[in-house]
Amino acid sequence: MSTEQHLAALKESIINLDFDAIVKTAQEAMESGIDPDVAINDGMVPGMAIVGDKFEKGEYFLSELVVAAEVMKEGLKVVTPYLKGEGAQKLGKVVIATVEGDQHDLGKNIVSNLLRVQGFDVIDLGVDVATDRIINAVKEHQPEIVGMSALLTLTMPKMGEVIEALKAAGIREKVKVILGGTPITVEFAASIGADHKAVNALEGVKKCVEWVSSQERRN
């Protein structure tokens, strides 16, 4: 198989949500000498992008988006050991959590997986995360982005509490804050001083990529 055929096979494996195929094609690509960075960026990522397009057009649903991200993770497991040195250069760091009092994590988990697929180092604190834990994680990991999720209207004020705590700690200006969750509105996000409210998982990830890319250009 040519390089183009290997890359096409990787892409199709993700589009077709095929766990067995991604493992097989990724291993074959590595054994054929395909550069692992090329396999990821020119094979798997375009496949994930097509899945994203299908999701936005309503051809794929949330379940397919979740599975596609998991399929790509399986492909990355095969390819990562072939990366030189410390592996692929990370795009940036994201600390993400479902705020205190809220146990919902489906949306957060999808975003975490998609961010990792894009090359982010994701520190996922889980669900029902107290404000001080989020602040401590930001201090420890020094991410570019903080992501918060809430599905219960009763827990939404915790998001504002975290932002105020970031200010009190003198680190608010060092991070972008993105919010997600069905009850969250653009108006609410603006009212508590967040930088963005994600329309959906894919759009939120695109915004994160946009932020770190613009930061790299400035540097």
Side-chain angles (χ1 to χ4, degrees):
M1 287 175 70
S2 67
T3 297
E4 289 73 20
Q5 287 173 317
H6 281 296
L7 297 177
L10 289 168
K11 182 171 71 173
E12 289 300 318
S13 297
I14 291 173
I15 295 169
N16 295 331
L17 314 177
D18 194 328
F19 284 95
D20 292 335
I22 193 66
V23 172
K24 180 173 181 288
T25 54
Q27 192 61 55
E28 288 175 349
M30 294 302 96
E31 291 172 356
S32 298
I34 305 296
D35 186 302
D37 283 320
V38 172
I40 294 169
N41 295 318
D42 297 341
M44 298 187 206
V45 171
M48 198 67 210
I50 290 172
V51 170
D53 288 339
K54 289 179 176 291
F55 173 68
E56 290 182 339
K57 292 174 183 175
E59 296 173 20
Y60 276 7
F61 298 100
L62 189 61
S63 56
E64 281 90 353
L65 188 63
V66 174
V67 172
E70 291 296 326
V71 170
M72 183 158 178
K73 278 177 66 179
E74 291 302 308
L76 290 172
K77 286 180 186 177
V78 175
V79 173
T80 299
Y82 291 85
L83 290 163
K84 297 178 178 64
E86 294 298 313
Q89 184 178 359
K90 290 294 182 182
L91 196 57
K93 283 185 183 179
V94 181
V95 166
I96 191 168
T98 299
V99 295
E100 187 174 10
D102 206 315
Q103 298 286 341
H104 296 88
D105 66 356
L106 176 60
K108 176 186 65 61
N109 291 346
I110 294 169
V111 171
S112 292
N113 284 340
L114 292 176
L115 286 168
R116 291 188 180 102
V117 162
Q118 288 292 336
F120 282 93
D121 183 6
V122 180
I123 298 93
D124 188 340
L125 302 179
V127 300
D128 190 21
V129 182
T131 295
D132 60 347
R133 270 195 67 207
I134 297 173
I135 302 305
N136 289 337
V138 173
K139 289 178 179 178
E140 178 185 351
H141 298 285
Q142 299 181 355
E144 289 82 5
I145 300 164
V146 174
M148 290 185 281
S149 174
L151 200 63
L152 303 174
T153 54
L154 288 173
T155 62
M156 286 167 55
K158 288 293 180 180
M159 293 176 158
E161 183 180 292
V162 171
I163 291 174
E164 291 305 312
L166 288 170
K167 291 177 183 176
I171 53 178
R172 173 64 184 93
E173 298 305 316
K174 296 180 180 180
V175 296
K176 292 287 190 181
V177 176
I178 186 168
L179 309 182
T182 305
I184 312 301
T185 64
V186 172
E187 292 75 18
F188 172 77
S191 73
I192 64 170
D195 295 295
H196 187 70
K197 187 271 173 179
V199 176
N200 54 50
L202 211 66
E203 188 272 337
V205 171
K206 286 180 180 177
K207 175 56 70 173
C208 292
V209 171
E210 178 187 308
W211 278 336
V212 296
S213 298
S214 62
Q215 188 176 57
E216 285 176 5
R217 286 195 294 271
R218 286 197 303 272
N219 295 338

